[in-house]
Amino acid sequence: MSLTSVFRPDVLAMHAYVVQDAAGYIKLDAMENPFTLSPALQAELGQRLGAVALNRYPGTRINDLHAALRAYAQVPADHGLVLGNGSDELISLLAVACAKPGAVTLAPLPGFVMYEAFTKQVGMRFVGVPLTADFELDGPTMLAAVHEHRPALTYIAYPNNPTANLWDDAVIEQIVNAVGDNVAAGHPGLVVIDEAYTPFASQSYLQRLSKHPHVLLMRTLSKFGLAGVRLGYMMGRKDLIEQVEKVRPPYNISVLNTEAALFALEHADVFAQQAEVIKSERERLQAALANMPGAKAYPSQANMILVRVNDSAAVFAALKARGILIKNVAGLHRLLANCIRLTVGLPAENDALIAALADILREPLNLPSA
Ligand SMILES: *Cc1c(COP(=O)(O)O)cnc(C)c1O
């Protein structure tokens, strides 16, 4: 018997998450905010972090972060709030907390890969429902899946990754209500609205949250501008958030994460200005893509654009040869055949991307007739 056979067979069959080496490239692959802190803010943050007691376990300073996030995100006063080491960790904790035998997670596909990954890690069953060909929710099939599988967790990313669109509100409401019907019939389930891209989106679920006790709203500071800090948060009815709180590792948010996040929220205006630039750059990229015969760009409410091309692997390689790193998402799902995902960068980076794509995408797109 080999020693590794101590691990679960499904773990042995997994692949670890690989981060592409981006050194020297224009990095447009991971929906990061391209702006860095100004030298003045860097110095100020350095002072703050230098003064933090690294020798102590995280203490009550986390309460200040809770308060700052409540104010920033306008969390309803009677709602609970739980913090994660990135929203990735919150997805993992929800799975841990809900993994009863036979429990199901439901999510549209293509979607954020972590819903499925963490679901399977805890032995829950994952049910993925394909989006329509133009990446809208397939309402009837989603509703049928809610009735058939009575999911404990239903994830709705608003906007979705990697498609970048905001799904039809009416269909989302139907899904929320269908899960609500399950709850009323004695089959409890939660809907998690994942708003990772709020800074760039025209709409949020926040105003509707109080109407639906079985809906949790998840956010992150990653796309806001702190991907390296790792801070996600989730709000919802107090007694539900309290259960997630029980499986949260006690010190999951380090003293450095806490202080850096507080600092960023004190300077939220700076990040809001950056989001404005990113949104206008997104529209500039869309306009440029619309003029390229070899590209079909999809509507975006995020800091990324999904684009269909003739040969996504070739476009990925050609951009890389020109020093630009993007994501070829074609392998994620059959609906994404020959799709690439472009993260909106700094104006000069987007100039370089547009020039390179205009050069690479001269051939008209031959979309399948099916
Ligand atoms: C990026 C992303 C997240 C995860 O972000 P964290 O960095 O773990 O906070 C969650 N959901 C979606 C849809 C995302 O795109």
Side-chain angles (χ1 to χ4, degrees):
M1 255 306 172
S2 85
L3 198 47
T4 52
S5 64
V6 71
F7 296 106
R8 292 175 355 206
D10 59 316
V11 172
L12 291 172
M14 274 179 198
H15 296 282
Y17 192 90
V18 179
V19 178
Q20 320 187 63
D21 182 8
Y25 289 97
I26 294 179
K27 192 173 186 307
L28 304 176
D29 65 332
M31 286 79 76
E32 292 148 333
N33 177 335
F35 292 95
T36 53
L37 287 181
S38 69
L41 287 182
Q42 284 182 26
E44 207 184 308
L45 176 62
Q47 289 280 331
R48 287 269 290 268
L49 296 182
V52 165
L54 301 181
N55 56 316
R56 303 284 181 203
Y57 284 105
T60 53
R61 185 68 164 148
I62 198 76
N63 298 336
D64 297 335
L65 182 54
H66 270 259
L69 281 170
R70 278 184 175 276
Y72 171 74
Q74 298 170 299
V75 180
D78 59 345
H79 277 46
L81 183 70
V82 59
L83 309 191
N85 198 275
S87 44
D88 282 0
E89 190 185 39
L90 293 169
I91 297 165
S92 169
L93 296 180
L94 267 172
V96 168
C98 293
K100 292 199 279 190
V104 165
T105 296
L106 172 69
L109 290 178
F112 188 51
V113 293
M114 294 301 165
Y115 308 145
E116 181 168 359
F118 288 125
T119 292
K120 291 180 170 169
Q121 274 187 26
V122 298
M124 284 174 78
R125 192 157 63 84
F126 181 81
V127 175
V129 171
L131 297 171
T132 63
D134 56 354
F135 305 126
E136 286 298 327
L137 284 171
D138 178 346
T141 311
M142 283 294 290
L143 294 178
V146 168
H147 287 126
E148 181 186 345
H149 301 286
R150 296 167 176 163
L153 297 171
T154 299
Y155 279 98
I156 301 287
Y158 191 72
N160 186 42
N161 172 9
T163 59
N165 56 333
L166 280 174
W167 289 317
D168 187 331
D169 271 335
V171 179
I172 291 176
E173 230 33 35
Q174 287 169 13
I175 295 166
V176 167
N177 288 329
V179 174
D181 292 344
N182 282 350
V183 177
H187 305 291
L190 304 174
V191 178
V192 185
I193 309 278
D194 180 354
E195 293 191 346
Y197 297 96
T198 330
F200 320 106
S202 60
Q203 292 190 63
S204 162
Y205 200 84
L206 184 66
Q207 277 67 39
R208 282 176 275 165
L209 187 60
S210 298
K211 275 200 329 204
H212 299 293
H214 63 292
V215 175
L216 306 178
L217 185 61
M218 194 166 72
R219 299 253 183 102
T220 174
L221 292 185
S222 290
K223 277 73 187 199
F224 162 96
L226 298 188
V229 170
R230 313 305 299 135
L231 195 91
Y233 55 104
M234 187 168 65
M235 61 189 95
R237 205 174 82 177
K238 262 205 172 99
D239 60 335
L240 303 175
I241 295 296
E242 275 166 13
Q243 309 314 312
V244 182
E245 191 65 34
K246 291 174 188 174
V247 295
R248 182 181 64 79
Y251 303 123
N252 65 332
I253 310 296
S254 85
V255 290
L256 295 175
N257 295 27
T258 303
E259 206 58 40
L262 276 166
F263 181 83
L265 292 172
E266 287 163 24
H267 298 283
D269 57 324
V270 173
F271 292 89
Q273 276 168 12
Q274 294 170 354
E276 286 308 311
V277 175
I278 291 165
K279 283 192 283 181
S280 84
E281 284 293 299
R282 175 183 72 201
E283 298 317 312
R284 189 166 73 88
L285 267 172
Q286 287 282 25
L289 287 162
N291 285 325
M292 296 181 197
K296 174 176 166 53
Y298 291 88
S300 169
Q301 288 280 321
N303 62 341
M304 60 180 155
I305 301 175
L306 187 75
V307 185
R308 200 179 304 268
V309 295
N310 280 326
D311 184 343
S312 60
V315 172
F316 173 86
L319 285 171
K320 196 167 179 188
R322 287 166 170 81
I324 301 172
L325 206 57
I326 58 141
K327 179 100 171 170
N328 177 8
V329 293
L332 293 181
H333 194 272
R334 63 176 168 77
L335 289 172
L336 296 174
N338 281 319
C339 284
I340 55 174
R341 189 188 63 196
L342 312 173
T343 299
V344 181
L346 295 170
E349 295 175 327
N350 302 328
D351 288 342
L353 177 67
I354 290 168
L357 285 175
D359 193 29
I360 295 164
L361 297 176
R362 289 173 191 281
E363 296 283 303
L365 193 63
N366 33 44
L367 283 174
S369 45

